[in-house]
Amino acid sequence: MTPHASLRLACALGAALIAVALAGVPAFASPTPTPTPTPTAASDALTPLVDCVQDAPLGAVTSRTVVLGYRSSASAPVTLTPGSGVDDLSPGAADRGQPSTFQPGEHHGAWLLTVDAAAEPSLTWTLGGRTATIDASAPACTDATAIVLSAPATASGTVAVSASVTRFLLGPPEAGTVAFAVDGVASATAPVGVGGVARADLTALAAGAHTITATFTPASGSTLRPATATAPVTITAASGALAVAADSVVTGSTSVTVHVTRTGASTPATVDFATVDGTAHAGPDYVAASGTLALAAGQATATTTVSLPARAPGSPASVFFVVLQRATADVSGAVAMVSLPAVPVAAPASVVAGGTGGGGAASAASALPQGDPTAHTPVVSAPVGQDLLLLLGAGLITIGGIAGVIGLVRSTRSRDGLL
């Protein structure tokens, strides 16, 4: 060995010893094998699906296109690392571009895989704790179908569902039927129309959790294969219809209470309300109000109040309205009328007796000014003795006057006779 070669070897050994010393592990220790990941509860919710395969001879090579999907019973997305032992293909490369995030529900055509059918006649896709075999026994993509079932997660009363029937490498079929069942009991059948879509309304579903199943049946003579899909739905008891009413208003009321009621109160409901002018106007007759009333599950009544200002004397009877809008439940009575009574004119206070003369003096409580000629002047009674003297005086004056008149007549006649 040359001196230069010996020097290089010594340097390499020294560098290795320094690295070992810094790492704190024995020199030339064998690496610890990486443990194989074990399926978790989330990954156990996954099932791999082989939707179809399609072989295409290309000279000496047969190209195989594989369409794959999955089903997840988890309530949230599940994320796995391809090639980590829980999302692998075998034999050969474990990571071949398969999905890493899996959404809840059933998903077809999630990814495509192309292989050499002669070199890899059979493959296995491991997803969580389940496997699917990819080989020539899978349905041909020209005949395989799949259904995407759309249904609301929760509903009350009628449930509107639709099923979209597809083929993986060709256009959707536009013939055949889709049968809808609830918990395995047939409910409705609809024809497949344009775009491969069938629709139906499912009625009379009892409150609680149910499973809806859609099954595609190809048209007679077709080479297409049937397909099935499921979806969960929870039926809630319908809320009773909402109605609005208002309390009576009496003279002097400063507010009126408005009630929104319903007969069935099993589910929550909300409704907007607003006041609307009638012959009464917001401002002088009532304070405009609006808002949202919420009724919790089991609550049958919700209330609000509308303020009533003091109205001017002489204001006539009038009405305004409270209306319901944008309700989350049926509405049987959307308008309540509030009747405001007439306000009487203020009555004048009693007048205290004043002095003599043409105008009596009004008291401080009188509605009329002092000395008002239109004010009522009561007659002032005099003592009884004084009344008697006045009566006798008047009589004497009257008798004297008559005697004087008689004397005057006689004197005139006597004078005429002398003439």
Side-chain angles (χ1 to χ4, degrees), residues 127-210:
L127 193 58
R130 297 180 176 86
T131 61
T133 301
I134 305 170
D135 57 22
S137 64
C141 290
T142 53
D143 296 333
T145 61
I147 293 181
V148 177
L149 175 58
S150 298
T154 59
S156 60
T158 300
V159 180
V161 294
S162 64
S164 179
V165 184
T166 63
R167 288 189 290 177
F168 297 103
L169 299 181
L170 297 173
E174 296 183 356
T177 59
V178 173
F180 297 94
V182 179
D183 299 331
V185 178
S187 180
T189 299
V192 175
V194 176
V197 177
R199 296 182 175 87
D201 291 331
L202 310 182
T203 59
L205 273 65
H210 300 277

Side-chain angles (χ1 to χ4, degrees), residues 365-399:
S366 174
L368 297 175
Q370 297 287 337
D372 191 328
T374 64
H376 173 67
T377 304
V379 177
V380 180
S381 60
V384 176
Q386 184 178 353
D387 288 346
L388 181 58
L389 290 175
L390 290 174
L391 181 61
L392 290 174
L396 291 174
I397 293 173
T398 301
I399 293 173

Side-chain angles (χ1 to χ4, degrees), residues 11-359:
C11 291
L13 290 175
L17 290 174
I18 292 172
V20 169
L22 292 175
V25 297
F28 309 110
S30 60
T32 303
T34 302
T36 300
T38 57
T40 64
S43 63
D44 276 343
L46 304 177
T47 300
L49 303 175
V50 179
D51 291 325
C52 65
V53 299
Q54 192 68 40
D55 290 344
L58 299 175
V61 177
T62 299
S63 174
R64 172 169 294 167
T65 301
V66 186
V67 181
L68 299 109
Y70 63 88
R71 182 185 301 113
S72 174
S73 59
S75 59
V78 177
T79 300
L80 303 177
T81 302
S84 62
V86 290
D87 185 7
D88 290 1
L89 268 79
S90 61
D95 182 0
R96 303 198 187 189
Q98 61 264 37
S100 59
T101 301
F102 302 87
Q103 301 293 334
E106 187 168 313
H107 303 269
H108 296 278
W111 66 295
L112 298 178
L113 174 66
T114 301
V115 299
D116 183 346
E120 297 182 298
S122 179
L123 293 172
T124 299
W125 183 20
T126 300
L127 193 58
R130 297 180 176 86
T131 61
T133 301
I134 305 170
D135 57 22
S137 64
C141 290
T142 53
D143 296 333
T145 61
I147 293 181
V148 177
L149 175 58
S150 298
T154 59
S156 60
T158 300
V159 180
V161 294
S162 64
S164 179
V165 184
T166 63
R167 288 189 290 177
F168 297 103
L169 299 181
L170 297 173
E174 296 183 356
T177 59
V178 173
F180 297 94
V182 179
D183 299 331
V185 178
S187 180
T189 299
V192 175
V194 176
V197 177
R199 296 182 175 87
D201 291 331
L202 310 182
T203 59
L205 273 65
H210 300 277
T211 298
I212 298 176
T213 303
T215 302
F216 167 64
T217 300
S220 178
S222 173
T223 61
L224 296 181
R225 294 196 176 197
T228 300
T230 61
V233 63
T234 299
I235 303 299
T236 58
S239 170
L242 303 176
V244 61
D247 288 348
S248 298
V249 177
V250 299
T251 302
S253 294
T254 58
S255 65
V256 58
T257 301
V258 179
H259 306 263
V260 173
T261 59
R262 58 179 178 172
T263 53
S266 58
T267 57
T270 60
V271 62
D272 293 346
F273 70 91
T275 52
V276 177
D277 281 355
T279 52
H281 300 282
D285 299 315
Y286 70 92
V287 178
S290 63
T292 300
L293 291 177
L295 294 91
Q299 182 181 353
T301 303
T303 60
T304 187
T305 58
V306 178
S307 298
L308 303 176
R311 301 164 67 212
S315 296
S318 56
V319 298
F320 68 92
F321 305 94
V322 180
V323 298
L324 301 183
Q325 301 171 315
R326 294 178 288 277
T328 59
D330 293 336
V331 175
S332 61
V335 181
M337 183 175 70
V338 181
S339 298
L340 303 178
V343 181
V345 177
S350 59
V351 179
V352 179
T356 60

